[in-house]
Each structure stands twice: as C-alpha cells, then as structure tokens.
Amino acid sequence: MRYRTLDPKLIIETAERLEERVADRFPEAGLRGVAAELVSLSRDLAKAAKTLEAPIWWLRGIIVAAVIAGALIFLFVGTILPLLHISQADDAVQSVQGIEATINMIILAVLGFLALIRTEERIKRKQVFRQLHGLRSLIHVIDMHQLTKDPAALSASFKPTAHSPARLTNAADLARYLDYCSEMLSITGKIAALFAQSVNDAVVIDGVNDIENLASNLSRKIWQKITLIDGRPAAPQPSIREFRKDRSASSKADAAFPAVRP
C-alpha cells in the first residue's frame, strides 16, 4: 500500500529539501520566504488532513440520540401510528387517512435521518475548503514571484526602463528560479490531494481537482518560459578553418615581433 497512497511525511521532506535548495542558490530572494511558508503550510495541512480521517464521535452520538428519540416518539405518540384506530374504525376513509399520515411521517423520518448522517460530511467539507483557501492563496503568491522573470531580459537588445523591476540576467539562474517555482506548484497539488485521500466526498474531490488544475496551468506557463530559455541560440563557436586562420595570423605576428629574451 506504500505506493498506492500519498505519504505526508515524504511530501514535507520534499518541501524542506526544496527550501534548502532555494536558500543555497538564492539566499536573498523573496522566493526563499515563499519556500519556507510552503514547508510550514504543508505541515499544517498534512496534520489537518490526518485529523479529518477520524470520525466525529460527538456528532455521531447526537445522531444516535436523535434516532432513539424518534423511535420513542413513534412508540408512545398514538397520533403518529394510529394502528388501533385503523383496525377498529368503521369508516374506510378514516382508515385511508391514517395510513397516508403514517406513510408521510415515515418518509419524513427517513429524510431527517439521512440529513443527520450527511451532517458529518458537510462539517468535514467546510473544514477542507477552509484549508484549501489558504493553499490557493499560496499558489497565487508563487505565481507573483515568477511574473517578472522574463526570458526577454536575456536578449542583448533588451533595454530596461527606469521603473523596470530587478531581473535575472543569467540564463542558468533564471531557468533554476523558474524550475523552483514549478516544483512549488507541484507540491501544492500533492498537499491538496491529501484531503481527497482523507475525505471520500465528491464535492471535496472536485475542489481538490480545481486546486491541481490551477497549479498545473500556472506550471505550464512557467515551463513555456523555461523552454524559451533552453531554446536560445548558443554563442557562436569559431569553425576549424577560422581557428586555423587565427593561429596562422598569430604565428606571423610572433615572427614579426619576436619576444625579447634576456
């Protein structure tokens, strides 16, 4: 079962390792603080998801008490199930009315019982969406940090204005910065998936899928930038003929101006 379920500890370890990598390469960047916040949030949400796996015992106790109270009402209140009137009544219309009232009360009791059972699902669903709201906000914070990391700044013809933000001008550093942002978005999707694993609810699964789709779409935009960086033409290398020509010219220059020996 190890490879069939997400392990919260491994997700937290991955987030911690990512924070260390960001701190090593970009110690002064704001992305380091975002990575630290991701570690803290992953710990809190992993704990919250684990808590949601356990039943809400106090709520189940209330439901059992409500069911017992309803059963007592059916037993001791003669107006709910007037079997005596139905069996002894001479009026057939009155008997039919009594049966109809009994059926209506049974239907209402079943609906009320189902509503009580689904109360636990609604409470857990509300708690899940409260946690996912903070995760969604962090995803947008990550996207804000990669917003100004534009591969166009690597072009020789790029001219910043007086109000241009500070940009990374090294292609390798820019690619690593964007890759770290993409990894953070991937981790947020895995943290959201912990709630779908803990709470088997269709509405919760849809909410988790929305978080994962948001992170995937933003990560796809980041990888488009990385592709542009990787696709930049490399610096032109001299051909063998040019290299030999340069060596020949250098040899002639050395012959024309010999080195002065002591």
Side-chain angles (χ1 to χ4, degrees):
M1 295 296 293
R2 178 182 179 184
Y3 298 103
R4 295 186 181 183
T5 58
L6 289 171
D7 190 345
K9 294 182 180 179
L10 296 180
I11 296 177
I12 295 173
E13 291 177 1
T14 303
E16 292 173 345
R17 192 178 301 113
L18 179 59
E19 186 210 353
E20 295 172 354
R21 291 163 56 199
V22 174
D24 291 340
R25 194 175 294 269
F26 305 105
E28 303 298 331
L31 190 65
R32 179 181 180 180
V34 179
E37 184 64 25
L38 178 61
V39 173
S40 177
L41 188 63
S42 63
R43 292 171 180 167
D44 295 339
L45 297 189
K47 186 182 298 183
K50 184 65 177 179
T51 303
L52 291 175
E53 293 181 0
I56 306 178
W57 293 112
W58 63 267
L59 180 61
R60 295 191 176 186
I62 293 176
I63 294 174
V64 172
V67 172
I68 294 175
L72 293 176
I73 292 175
F74 273 100
L75 290 175
F76 296 104
V77 180
T79 56
I80 296 178
L81 190 62
L83 296 178
L84 182 62
H85 295 287
I86 295 175
S87 60
Q88 297 180 356
D90 297 330
D91 191 356
V93 176
Q94 184 178 358
S95 300
V96 171
Q97 291 177 351
I99 294 174
E100 182 181 2
T102 302
I103 294 175
N104 292 335
M105 291 304 300
I106 292 175
I107 294 175
L108 292 176
V110 172
L111 293 177
F113 178 70
L114 294 177
L116 288 175
I117 293 177
R118 296 182 64 88
T119 302
E120 182 175 353
E121 296 181 1
R122 290 195 295 269
I123 292 176
K124 289 186 176 182
R125 186 185 303 165
K126 186 176 180 179
Q127 294 176 355
V128 168
F129 280 100
R130 186 183 298 114
Q131 303 294 340
L132 293 181
H133 177 72
L135 192 61
R136 183 186 296 272
S137 299
L138 182 62
I139 290 175
H140 287 291
V141 171
I142 296 172
D143 183 57
M144 285 296 297
H145 277 76
Q146 67 85 30
L147 196 61
T148 58
K149 305 305 181 288
D150 193 354
L154 303 177
S155 176
S157 60
F158 178 77
K159 296 181 180 181
T161 64
H163 297 88
S164 295
R167 299 181 185 272
L168 292 175
T169 57
N170 183 276
D173 288 343
L174 180 58
R176 294 309 304 161
Y177 190 100
L178 294 173
D179 186 53
Y180 290 154
C181 292
S182 179
E183 290 186 34
M184 288 183 188
L185 292 174
S186 179
I187 292 175
T188 58
K190 301 304 176 289
I191 296 174
L194 290 176
F195 291 98
Q197 182 174 280
S198 300
V199 182
N200 188 13
D201 181 73
V203 180
V204 171
I205 294 176
D206 290 339
V208 170
N209 289 336
D210 290 339
I211 294 292
E212 291 181 327
N213 290 334
L214 175 62
S216 298
N217 292 334
L218 295 178
S219 180
R220 190 178 301 112
K221 181 174 64 175
I222 292 174
W223 273 101
Q224 289 176 354
K225 292 184 177 181
I226 296 177
T227 303
L228 292 176
I229 297 173
D230 295 338
R232 290 178 59 82
Q237 300 294 331
S239 61
I240 297 179
R241 182 179 299 177
E242 293 175 348
F243 180 72
R244 290 176 178 175
K245 187 184 295 183
D246 293 340
R247 289 193 60 184
S248 177
S250 177
S251 299
K252 291 180 180 178
D254 292 341
F257 302 97
V260 178
R261 299 179 182 275

